[in-house]
Amino acid sequence: MNDAKVSLENISPLAGKPAPPTLLVDVPRLVSAYYTQRPDPALSSQRVLFGTSGHRGSSLQTAFNEWHILAITQAICLYRQKEKIDGPLFLGMDTHALSVPAMASALEVLAAHGVDVMLAEGDGYTPTPVVSHAILTYNRGRTTGLSDGIVITPSHNPPGDGGFKYDPPNGGPAETHITAWIEAQANALIENGLRGLKRMLFEKALRAPTTHRHDYLHAYINDLGNVIDMDVVRGAKISLGVDPLGGAGVHYWQPMAERYGLNLTVVNETLDPTFRFMTVDWDGQIRMDPSSPYAMQRLIGLKDRFDIAFACDTDHDRHGIVTRSSGLMPPNHYLSVAIDYLFQHRPKWRKETAVGKTVVSSGMIDRVAARLGRKLYEVPVGFKWFVDGLLDGSLGFGGEESAGASFLRLDGAPWTTDKDGIVPALLSAEITAKMGRDPGDLYHDLTREFGEPAYDRVEAPATLEQKERLLNLSPDEVRITQLAGEQIRTVLTRAPGNQASIGGLKVIAESGWFAARPSGTENIYKIYAESFRGADHLHQILEEAQTIVNSALAEPTPQPAMASRSNTKENL
């Protein structure tokens, strides 16, 4: 591996441009492969593997096929039996092409096991946070007969991917010990040729007495006034723009505007499994990432039409905020503003309620939390680490640098325990209405108070052995004492908030830090870095971080670093 470079030299020439026909996924071929390809359990790439957000992959690579979904669903049924979870299961899906066939496969197994399944009315698409909200709403006040859920989505991943994730009765992403059990059961079933699988024909499953219809849309929309001050937004008469990016919430926004009297325009209501309306992401792929300026070109170009605009990814669990003052806000910028605003405008939240962030999120959040007098709860990457705190109200806010967040209701009770892209988007409207200034402008206030950080993330290839090595690094293996000219204060391999392994390491100096961790789903590792001394200092941190990682991995043959994921003036 060579030195990391903060450059755009590896950015695709297609980045930010309309997707050409050659990039569009062949949907019939994709669906055909879902039903015809059989995974080989001897190949690691074809086994069931739960990352930070469920099992993901493409049917064309035999990584997300009918056998996977049948096996995972039966494993979930067995887990429910083991844990005596016998309430309804809320089942939702997004708009990826593989979601509909996966929904059919899952229902065939769930119905055969006698599970009460809640499907969306009209076979509608259902955002991830709406499923979490449904689980928590049903379980409120119950100690038995608890519900859980499944969301069929690969999140913002390319159109050729499918995804499948399980939410236990706490409404959030399943913890590692749960997904490991489900994963093992599913792989064993595949290894045995699906012998012992219980399923019924789809038509029969649809008519089963255990299959029910649920009004996800109105149950969620009618409750939004208990988490966002809709009166303030409506009263200010500000103009709002939203791009659902062809995702599961595409039909939620207009009913939301009508219910609360919002001056809201949906700039694109197209549903197309090829996502041909997207502009291409940084690496030449179509990706519905609302935090990427390349994928968000359409809404960025409309920023002057609205007082505030926003977008969500395909399952609506991530947000992107576009302001008149600064365009698309980097996730770290908006998280900092949202935290600063919420903890000053939610008087019913408990005084001891803490701020949750991941170890790779901006140090600006640390500074804001300290000024607010709030405890900082810093955890590894993965929203599952925020679930318990959001559920019991000890966390007012949980946020990730990848634009995922959720927060409490106005009265301090839980809203969702999974990422919710919709409420942070609506919060940007509340902030603009209440403060008379948009979040981009308010972030500049924070930089004047605390300094302006430069932040970046780079990626580089890594073998499975190298990823395992990075995953198990010890602080003792970092032998240097300085980082970019400053004394190293701390080397972490466990998160300060809960002492859980961060799956890599974080090195912290006075005005900068870096973290390195392997990807859970790809053969790459990632280096995150931040400096409060400007871009040159950030570059130096990244270079020294690369040297440290090289030494730790002891790579004999140099490999080229991948492109920087810098995407705004935050990073340049």
Side-chain angles (χ1 to χ4, degrees):
M1 290 166 244
N2 62 9
D3 290 346
K5 297 178 182 178
V6 184
S7 74
L8 303 181
E9 62 186 26
N10 291 321
I11 297 296
S12 168
L14 295 175
K17 299 177 182 178
T22 53
L23 273 188
L24 302 183
V25 68
D26 185 335
V27 173
R29 182 166 170 257
L30 191 71
V31 174
S32 175
Y34 173 84
Y35 287 108
T36 58
Q37 298 292 338
R38 296 288 179 262
D40 181 352
L43 299 176
S44 60
S45 63
Q46 297 184 19
R47 292 175 66 82
V48 172
L49 176 64
F50 276 77
T52 54
S53 294
H55 174 76
R56 295 181 181 178
S58 175
S59 62
L60 299 176
Q61 278 78 54
T62 324
F64 188 94
N65 302 83
E66 183 184 36
W67 276 38
H68 292 112
I69 304 312
L70 296 172
I72 294 170
T73 308
Q74 173 136 320
I76 289 171
C77 291
L78 297 175
Y79 177 79
R80 296 180 99 243
Q81 294 170 17
K82 180 173 77 77
E83 297 298 320
K84 298 181 171 54
I85 301 169
D86 53 6
L89 183 142
F90 291 91
L91 182 59
M93 66 176 175
D94 78 356
T95 55
H96 277 79
L98 290 174
S99 294
V100 171
M103 169 74 84
S105 301
L107 184 62
E108 290 175 358
V109 176
L110 293 166
H113 282 265
V115 175
D116 281 293
V117 178
M118 311 300 280
L119 296 179
E121 289 186 345
D123 296 322
Y125 301 104
T126 310
T128 285
V130 175
V131 172
S132 179
H133 177 269
I135 294 169
L136 295 187
T137 300
Y138 184 88
N139 289 342
R140 190 178 300 132
R142 298 176 186 267
T143 55
T144 60
L146 298 178
S147 73
D148 54 0
I150 291 172
V151 188
I152 302 171
T153 173
S155 190
H156 61 294
N157 279 22
D161 281 7
F164 200 88
K165 63 181 182 179
Y166 175 63
D167 287 352
N170 62 21
E175 296 180 4
T176 304
H177 72 274
I178 298 175
T179 55
W181 193 92
I182 292 171
E183 185 181 294
Q185 294 288 323
N187 282 319
L189 189 60
I190 291 172
E191 288 166 4
N192 289 322
L194 297 186
R195 284 190 294 273
L197 176 73
K198 292 175 65 175
R199 69 189 292 196
M200 65 171 64
L201 290 174
F202 179 64
E203 293 80 5
K204 185 179 178 182
L206 274 178
R207 297 192 304 269
T210 52
T211 299
H212 314 278
R213 294 294 175 171
H214 180 68
D215 186 0
Y216 285 99
L217 185 148
H218 288 103
Y220 180 86
I221 288 175
N222 290 340
D223 205 14
L224 280 169
N226 292 310
V227 67
I228 298 294
D229 190 341
M230 291 297 200
D231 292 337
V232 165
V233 181
R234 178 175 57 251
K237 295 182 172 57
I238 57 174
S239 59
L240 312 176
V242 59
D243 190 341
L245 300 182
V250 67
H251 294 140
Y252 276 64
W253 293 99
Q254 197 55 49
M256 198 184 303
E258 293 169 3
R259 168 69 174 78
Y260 294 101
L262 306 180
N263 179 17
L264 183 147
T265 301
V266 181
V267 302
N268 179 33
E269 295 185 284
T270 305
L271 284 173
D272 183 336
T274 67
F275 296 88
R276 67 179 68 238
F277 49 81
M278 291 295 299
T279 49
V280 179
D281 204 5
W282 69 278
D283 57 353
Q285 294 201 63
I286 297 173
R287 187 179 288 109
M288 290 61 70
D289 181 357
S291 67
S292 165
Y294 305 106
M296 287 279 282
Q297 279 297 297
R298 178 174 55 237
L299 194 58
I300 293 170
L302 298 175
K303 73 180 183 67
D304 292 330
R305 278 182 50 188
F306 305 104
D307 293 307
I308 190 77
F310 34 81
C312 293
D313 68 336
T314 325
D315 68 324
H316 273 45
D317 73 343
R318 300 185 189 217
H319 61 271
I321 309 301
V322 177
T323 67
R324 278 185 175 176
S325 65
S326 57
L328 178 65
M329 293 186 72
N332 278 312
H333 291 197
Y334 182 62
L335 294 182
S336 301
V337 171
I339 290 165
D340 193 41
Y341 174 85
L342 282 168
F343 282 87
Q344 296 184 73
H345 293 87
R346 294 296 186 266
K348 293 184 179 179
W349 287 9
R350 302 198 309 253
K351 297 300 181 186
E352 65 273 19
T353 297
V355 175
K357 61 163 276 192
T358 59
V359 292
V360 297
S361 299
S362 175
M364 179 66 84
I365 295 173
D366 305 49
R367 290 156 171 79
V368 169
R371 195 246 288 133
L372 292 167
R374 295 285 182 162
K375 177 184 175 183
L376 187 71
Y377 184 69
E378 189 172 359
V379 298
V381 172
F383 206 79
K384 63 186 177 184
W385 302 109
F386 299 129
V387 172
D388 290 342
L390 290 169
L391 193 60
D392 65 19
S394 61
L395 279 181
F397 182 97
E400 300 182 307
E401 59 81 34
S402 54
S406 191
F407 46 90
L408 299 178
R409 294 169 180 263
L410 296 169
D411 65 0
W415 170 252
T416 60
T417 47
D418 209 333
K419 297 189 292 288
D420 189 333
I422 298 171
V423 294
L426 291 172
L427 180 68
S428 71
E430 180 189 329
I431 292 171
T432 304
K434 185 82 172 181
M435 306 302 291
R437 301 163 64 199
D438 70 41
D441 194 26
L442 292 171
Y443 182 75
H444 293 309
D445 289 354
L446 296 180
T447 63
R448 284 189 286 270
E449 183 178 358
F450 298 115
E452 185 165 3
Y455 182 99
D456 201 5
R457 185 182 95 195
V458 297
E459 300 173 349
T463 64
L464 291 176
E465 292 77 14
Q466 290 169 335
K467 288 172 62 177
E468 187 69 20
R469 175 89 174 109
L470 186 55
L471 194 67
N472 295 300
L473 275 180
S474 161
D476 297 336
E477 295 178 75
V478 179
R479 298 183 176 86
I480 64 169
T481 59
Q482 288 197 327
L483 177 66
E486 295 183 332
Q487 193 73 19
I488 291 176
R489 296 192 311 185
T490 313
V491 178
L492 300 175
T493 55
R494 294 191 173 275
N498 59 1
Q499 291 304 304
S501 171
I502 64 176
L505 82 163
K506 182 175 182 179
V507 177
I508 306 168
E510 179 64 30
S511 53
W513 59 269
F514 81 85
R517 55 182 294 273
S519 167
T521 56
E522 301 174 89
N523 287 328
I524 61 174
Y525 69 86
K526 304 175 184 181
I527 297 177
Y528 309 76
E530 184 175 48
S531 169
F532 276 78
R533 288 174 49 188
D536 290 343
H537 190 239
L538 173 67
H539 295 180
Q540 191 177 350
I541 290 174
L542 280 167
E543 289 173 357
E544 294 186 14
Q546 185 75 60
T547 300
I548 292 169
V549 173
N550 284 354
S551 175
L553 296 182
E555 173 65 31
T557 305
Q559 297 181 27
M562 291 173 67
S564 161
R565 293 299 305 272
S566 348
N567 52 28
T568 68
K569 62 186 178 183
E570 172 190 34
N571 316 94
L572 300 177

